Amino acid sequence: MATSVYNRLPSLGEADAGFIERDILSKLMPLFAAYQNFAVCLVHRHCSLKEGERMVSTGNVTQPERKGQSFPSSWLATGEPFEFNSEQTASLPTKLLDQFNGLIGEANTAKGIPLLGIRCIAFKGRDNKILTERTEGRKSIVTLDEVDKVHSLGPTIPTCWMPANLVQGSTELTAVACCRCIVQGGVHVEIGCD
Protein backbone atom coordinates (compact mmCIF):
# COMPACT_ATOMS: atom_id res chain seq x y z
CA MET A 1 0.00 0.00 0.00
CA ALA A 2 1.25 3.44 -0.81
CA THR A 3 2.15 5.50 2.23
CA SER A 4 -0.16 8.27 1.03
CA VAL A 5 -3.15 5.91 1.07
CA TYR A 6 -2.46 4.85 4.68
CA ASN A 7 -2.06 8.48 5.73
CA ARG A 8 -5.50 9.27 4.29
CA LEU A 9 -7.17 6.66 6.50
CA PRO A 10 -9.37 8.18 9.19
CA SER A 11 -8.06 8.48 12.72
CA LEU A 12 -9.64 6.20 15.32
CA GLY A 13 -11.94 9.00 16.49
CA GLU A 14 -13.00 9.88 12.94
CA ALA A 15 -13.67 6.23 12.09
CA ASP A 16 -15.69 5.66 15.25
CA ALA A 17 -17.75 8.82 14.70
CA GLY A 18 -18.39 7.93 11.05
CA PHE A 19 -19.44 4.34 11.78
CA ILE A 20 -23.15 5.13 12.04
CA GLU A 21 -24.90 2.11 10.56
CA ARG A 22 -23.65 -0.42 13.11
CA ASP A 23 -26.50 -2.84 12.44
CA ILE A 24 -24.44 -3.96 9.43
CA LEU A 25 -22.32 -6.02 11.84
CA SER A 26 -25.14 -8.50 12.50
CA LYS A 27 -25.58 -8.91 8.74
CA LEU A 28 -21.87 -9.68 8.34
CA MET A 29 -21.60 -12.27 11.13
CA PRO A 30 -23.04 -15.25 9.19
CA LEU A 31 -20.47 -14.57 6.46
CA PHE A 32 -17.57 -14.44 8.91
CA ALA A 33 -18.73 -17.62 10.67
CA ALA A 34 -17.72 -19.39 7.45
CA TYR A 35 -14.26 -17.74 7.42
CA GLN A 36 -12.90 -18.39 10.90
CA ASN A 37 -9.47 -16.79 10.37
CA PHE A 38 -11.00 -13.43 9.51
CA ALA A 39 -12.91 -10.70 11.32
CA VAL A 40 -14.54 -7.37 10.50
CA CYS A 41 -12.35 -4.40 11.44
CA LEU A 42 -12.85 -0.67 11.82
CA VAL A 43 -10.46 0.90 9.29
CA HIS A 44 -8.30 3.56 10.95
CA ARG A 45 -4.72 4.72 11.33
CA HIS A 46 -2.71 5.22 14.49
CA CYS A 47 0.04 7.45 13.12
CA SER A 48 1.32 9.09 9.96
CA LEU A 49 3.76 7.08 7.90
CA LYS A 50 6.89 8.46 6.29
CA GLU A 51 7.61 7.64 2.64
CA GLY A 52 8.41 3.94 2.18
CA GLU A 53 7.00 2.84 5.55
CA ARG A 54 4.19 0.40 6.25
CA MET A 55 2.57 -0.69 9.51
CA VAL A 56 3.97 -4.11 10.48
CA SER A 57 3.04 -6.27 13.47
CA THR A 58 5.71 -8.32 15.19
CA GLY A 59 4.40 -10.10 18.25
CA ASN A 60 2.17 -7.66 20.12
CA VAL A 61 3.67 -4.46 18.65
CA THR A 62 2.65 -2.81 15.38
CA GLN A 63 4.88 -0.01 14.14
CA PRO A 64 6.12 1.65 10.96
CA GLU A 65 8.84 -0.31 9.19
CA ARG A 66 10.68 0.18 5.91
CA LYS A 67 12.43 -3.14 5.38
CA GLY A 68 11.95 -6.82 5.97
CA GLN A 69 9.45 -9.31 4.68
CA SER A 70 5.84 -8.72 5.66
CA PHE A 71 2.48 -10.24 4.82
CA PRO A 72 -0.92 -8.51 4.54
CA SER A 73 -3.06 -8.84 7.68
CA SER A 74 -5.74 -6.11 7.28
CA TRP A 75 -7.46 -5.08 4.07
CA LEU A 76 -9.63 -2.22 2.91
CA ALA A 77 -12.95 -3.09 1.26
CA THR A 78 -11.10 -2.70 -2.06
CA GLY A 79 -8.87 -5.64 -1.13
CA GLU A 80 -5.85 -3.37 -0.72
CA PRO A 81 -3.84 -4.23 2.43
CA PHE A 82 -3.25 -1.47 4.96
CA GLU A 83 -1.53 -3.36 7.79
CA PHE A 84 0.98 -6.19 7.65
CA ASN A 85 2.50 -8.91 9.83
CA SER A 86 6.09 -10.09 10.01
CA GLU A 87 4.81 -13.70 10.07
CA GLN A 88 2.89 -15.47 7.31
CA THR A 89 -0.86 -14.81 7.45
CA ALA A 90 -3.80 -16.38 5.65
CA SER A 91 -4.51 -14.93 2.21
CA LEU A 92 -7.72 -12.96 1.79
CA PRO A 93 -10.21 -15.20 -0.04
CA THR A 94 -11.66 -13.47 -3.11
CA LYS A 95 -15.09 -14.95 -2.36
CA LEU A 96 -15.06 -13.45 1.16
CA LEU A 97 -14.09 -10.03 -0.20
CA ASP A 98 -16.82 -10.15 -2.88
CA GLN A 99 -19.52 -11.21 -0.41
CA PHE A 100 -18.31 -8.63 2.13
CA ASN A 101 -18.61 -5.83 -0.41
CA GLY A 102 -22.05 -7.04 -1.44
CA LEU A 103 -23.22 -6.64 2.16
CA ILE A 104 -21.55 -3.38 3.23
CA GLY A 105 -22.68 -1.26 0.27
CA GLU A 106 -21.86 2.45 0.22
CA ALA A 107 -22.69 3.36 3.83
CA ASN A 108 -20.24 4.00 6.64
CA THR A 109 -17.48 5.94 4.91
CA ALA A 110 -15.04 8.63 6.07
CA LYS A 111 -12.80 10.61 3.76
CA GLY A 112 -14.30 8.56 0.91
CA ILE A 113 -12.93 5.32 2.42
CA PRO A 114 -15.23 2.51 3.64
CA LEU A 115 -14.85 2.28 7.41
CA LEU A 116 -15.14 -1.48 7.54
CA GLY A 117 -12.42 -3.79 6.37
CA ILE A 118 -11.25 -7.35 6.91
CA ARG A 119 -8.56 -8.53 9.31
CA CYS A 120 -6.80 -11.87 9.53
CA ILE A 121 -7.00 -12.80 13.20
CA ALA A 122 -5.72 -15.75 15.21
CA PHE A 123 -7.43 -14.71 18.46
CA LYS A 124 -10.95 -16.11 18.64
CA GLY A 125 -12.35 -14.16 21.61
CA ARG A 126 -12.29 -16.85 24.27
CA ASP A 127 -12.61 -17.01 28.02
CA ASN A 128 -14.02 -13.52 28.60
CA LYS A 129 -10.89 -11.88 27.15
CA ILE A 130 -10.38 -9.13 24.61
CA LEU A 131 -7.41 -7.67 22.77
CA THR A 132 -6.74 -4.15 23.98
CA GLU A 133 -4.68 -1.81 21.83
CA ARG A 134 -2.98 1.34 23.03
CA THR A 135 -0.78 3.77 21.13
CA GLU A 136 2.62 4.87 22.40
CA GLY A 137 4.23 7.29 19.99
CA ARG A 138 4.12 5.56 16.59
CA LYS A 139 3.71 2.09 18.10
CA SER A 140 0.46 0.26 18.79
CA ILE A 141 0.79 -2.28 21.58
CA VAL A 142 -1.75 -5.07 22.04
CA THR A 143 -2.42 -6.92 25.28
CA LEU A 144 -4.86 -9.73 26.05
CA ASP A 145 -7.03 -8.54 28.93
CA GLU A 146 -10.03 -9.70 30.92
CA VAL A 147 -13.15 -7.90 29.66
CA ASP A 148 -13.88 -6.57 33.17
CA LYS A 149 -10.36 -5.08 33.41
CA VAL A 150 -10.76 -3.36 30.03
CA HIS A 151 -14.00 -1.70 31.17
CA SER A 152 -12.27 -0.45 34.34
CA LEU A 153 -9.55 1.27 32.26
CA GLY A 154 -12.01 3.85 30.95
CA PRO A 155 -13.48 4.45 27.51
CA THR A 156 -12.64 2.08 24.70
CA ILE A 157 -13.63 1.96 21.05
CA PRO A 158 -14.42 -1.50 19.61
CA THR A 159 -12.31 -2.05 16.48
CA CYS A 160 -12.72 -5.71 15.51
CA TRP A 161 -15.67 -8.11 15.56
CA MET A 162 -16.31 -11.76 14.80
CA PRO A 163 -19.12 -14.24 15.45
CA ALA A 164 -19.57 -15.01 19.14
CA ASN A 165 -19.74 -18.69 18.26
CA LEU A 166 -18.19 -19.98 15.11
CA VAL A 167 -21.27 -21.80 13.88
CA GLN A 168 -22.12 -21.02 10.28
CA GLY A 169 -25.21 -18.83 10.20
CA SER A 170 -24.46 -17.21 13.58
CA THR A 171 -25.65 -13.61 13.84
CA GLU A 172 -24.48 -13.01 17.41
CA LEU A 173 -21.27 -11.02 17.44
CA THR A 174 -18.54 -10.17 19.86
CA ALA A 175 -15.89 -7.49 19.87
CA VAL A 176 -12.51 -9.19 19.98
CA ALA A 177 -10.38 -6.04 19.96
CA CYS A 178 -10.72 -2.46 21.11
CA CYS A 179 -8.56 0.64 21.47
CA ARG A 180 -8.14 2.41 24.79
CA CYS A 181 -9.15 6.03 24.59
CA ILE A 182 -8.29 9.30 26.16
CA VAL A 183 -11.46 11.34 26.35
CA GLN A 184 -11.64 15.04 27.23
CA GLY A 185 -14.93 16.87 27.31
CA GLY A 186 -16.73 13.83 25.84
CA VAL A 187 -14.51 13.78 22.72
CA HIS A 188 -11.89 11.18 21.78
CA VAL A 189 -8.42 12.72 21.86
CA GLU A 190 -5.79 11.49 19.41
CA ILE A 191 -2.51 11.09 21.27
CA GLY A 192 0.88 9.96 20.08
CA CYS A 193 -0.28 9.96 16.47
CA ASP A 194 2.64 11.68 14.78
Side-chain angles (χ1 to χ4, degrees):
M1 158 181 261
T3 301
S4 62
V5 175
Y6 184 88
N7 288 341
R8 285 196 322 266
L9 296 180
S11 68
L12 177 61
E14 291 168 334
D16 184 53
F19 185 27
I20 297 168
E21 296 181 31
R22 294 180 185 248
D23 61 327
I24 190 67
L25 290 172
S26 62
K27 295 175 185 172
L28 290 168
M29 287 308 107
L31 173 62
F32 281 85
Y35 293 93
Q36 298 180 12
N37 290 327
F38 297 92
V40 179
C41 66
L42 184 66
V43 173
H44 62 282
R45 65 176 176 81
H46 286 280
C47 66
S48 293
L49 297 180
K50 296 175 183 166
E51 193 57 44
E53 291 182 329
R54 60 173 48 175
M55 291 300 281
V56 179
S57 296
T58 302
N60 70 328
V61 177
T62 302
Q63 63 186 351
E65 293 186 9
R66 290 183 191 267
K67 56 185 177 181
Q69 188 172 26
S70 60
F71 305 91
S73 59
S74 296
W75 297 265
L76 300 174
T78 61
E80 185 173 14
F82 68 96
E83 288 184 344
F84 299 82
N85 198 300
S86 61
E87 296 181 18
Q88 182 71 51
T89 56
S91 297
L92 177 63
T94 303
K95 186 174 179 181
L96 170 59
L97 181 62
D98 291 344
Q99 292 174 316
F100 176 77
N101 279 305
L103 290 168
I104 66 168
E106 299 294 320
N108 294 313
T109 60
K111 298 183 178 182
I113 298 171
L115 292 172
L116 294 180
I118 299 173
R119 168 173 242 155
C120 181
I121 189 164
F123 175 71
K124 303 297 186 215
R126 294 183 208 96
D127 302 323
N128 202 33
K129 295 192 179 183
I130 193 166
L131 296 170
T132 308
E133 185 176 15
R134 71 184 188 281
T135 301
E136 293 182 5
R138 296 177 73 214
K139 293 181 182 180
S140 292
I141 301 166
V142 176
T143 56
L144 181 61
D145 295 310
E146 298 287 334
V147 171
D148 292 340
K149 178 186 174 197
V150 171
H151 293 306
S152 71
L153 296 173
T156 58
I157 295 175
T159 58
C160 195
W161 304 265
M162 62 188 322
N165 64 48
L166 295 174
V167 176
Q168 196 159 359
S170 173
T171 57
E172 185 182 348
L173 62 102
T174 186
V176 292
C178 63
C179 289
R180 283 180 41 198
C181 304
I182 304 289
V183 177
Q184 293 177 346
V187 177
H188 176 76
V189 177
E190 301 296 328
I191 58 171
C193 239
D194 293 310

